[in-house]
Amino acid sequence: MPNNRSIYYQYREPSPLRALWLHMNTNPFAVAAFYIFSFLLLIMVLSPLIAPYSPDAQFSDAISQPPAWHDDGQIRFLFGTDDLGRDLLSRVISGAVYSLGYPLIATATAAIIGIAIGAWAGMSRGVQSSTLNHLLDVVLSIPSLLLALIIIAILGPALHTVMIAITLVLIPQFIHSVHNAFYEERGKEYVIASKLNGCSRWYILTRVIFPNITSVVVMQVTFALSTAILDIAALGFLGLGVQAPAPEWGTMLARSLDQVYLLPWTMVLPGVALFLTVLSINVLGDSLRAAIQERIRGT
């Protein structure tokens, strides 16, 4: 006969993370997106160790080498080489740092700043909140890529200026979404009840309102990360982002565009990497948002 402790562990409510995972398990696309994104993150972290060659290493005896499954391919260059004899697989693996790592940093920085300002603005009333809202409407009416181009045109094309531009572009998006979410929640009964109970402003912000807008924040983070990845790739494609010979995926696509008829394999791998990265982030973010909303409704 089971004791009370075993019954407690058998029937206790799962932790929030386990509840999210159980909800995601019901969606095979979400599970596939989770594993793909985790695999890409692992590649990014371990890129110096798992890349077969240096991304800038040139092999004069293997210039424009086709993939290994081609009749003229070599197994040591699994996905072939470019017109300078550089291994494509090594460059795409090393490029994950530029095309995924730096967007993660820019998104995290923008999220911290944007959520803080958006929460403050959402709890404010009067001229401050109204003025900020109108300014955000003006800024958000400009496409993110165009805004990044304007900033880079002023500061010049370089890796640090790309990071500054992408971060500045993402901050207004976070402020706008968090501001609207806080503005909608602050007048609800549970927030008013917390104020009447004497809860501090900080407690209401962090413990009362924020848990109920987590789905909004998660959705905004995934959208911002996708935007950062695509904008960095687009800037690299236009020659205004990360400069060659850095193996950024957008820069690689720009270089392979001139040789697409002669060396079509040079475009496939970075293009597929970009597609899978953005797709997995969007699917995973949508599934997380749905799981969080279901958990909030259940409580």
Side-chain angles (χ1 to χ4, degrees), residues 138-207:
V138 173
V139 173
L140 293 176
S141 65
I142 305 173
S144 61
L145 182 58
L146 179 58
L147 193 57
L149 284 172
I150 295 172
I151 297 172
I152 290 176
I154 297 173
L155 300 178
L159 177 58
H160 67 280
T161 57
V162 170
M163 291 291 293
I164 294 172
I166 297 300
T167 303
L168 292 178
V169 165
L170 295 179
I171 288 175
Q173 299 178 11
F174 278 101
I175 296 175
H176 187 263
S177 61
V178 174
H179 170 267
N180 289 342
F182 268 86
Y183 186 83
E184 292 177 1
E185 294 291 324
R186 73 182 186 185
K188 293 186 176 180
E189 294 180 353
Y190 73 94
V191 178
I192 296 174
S194 299
K195 291 180 179 178
L196 293 175
N197 286 333
C199 296
S200 65
R201 187 184 181 89
W202 176 254
Y203 183 89
I204 293 174
L205 281 172
T206 58
R207 302 295 296 276

Side-chain angles (χ1 to χ4, degrees), residues 102-117:
Y102 286 109
L104 281 170
I105 296 173
T107 303
T109 305
I112 294 172
I113 299 173
I115 291 173
I117 298 175

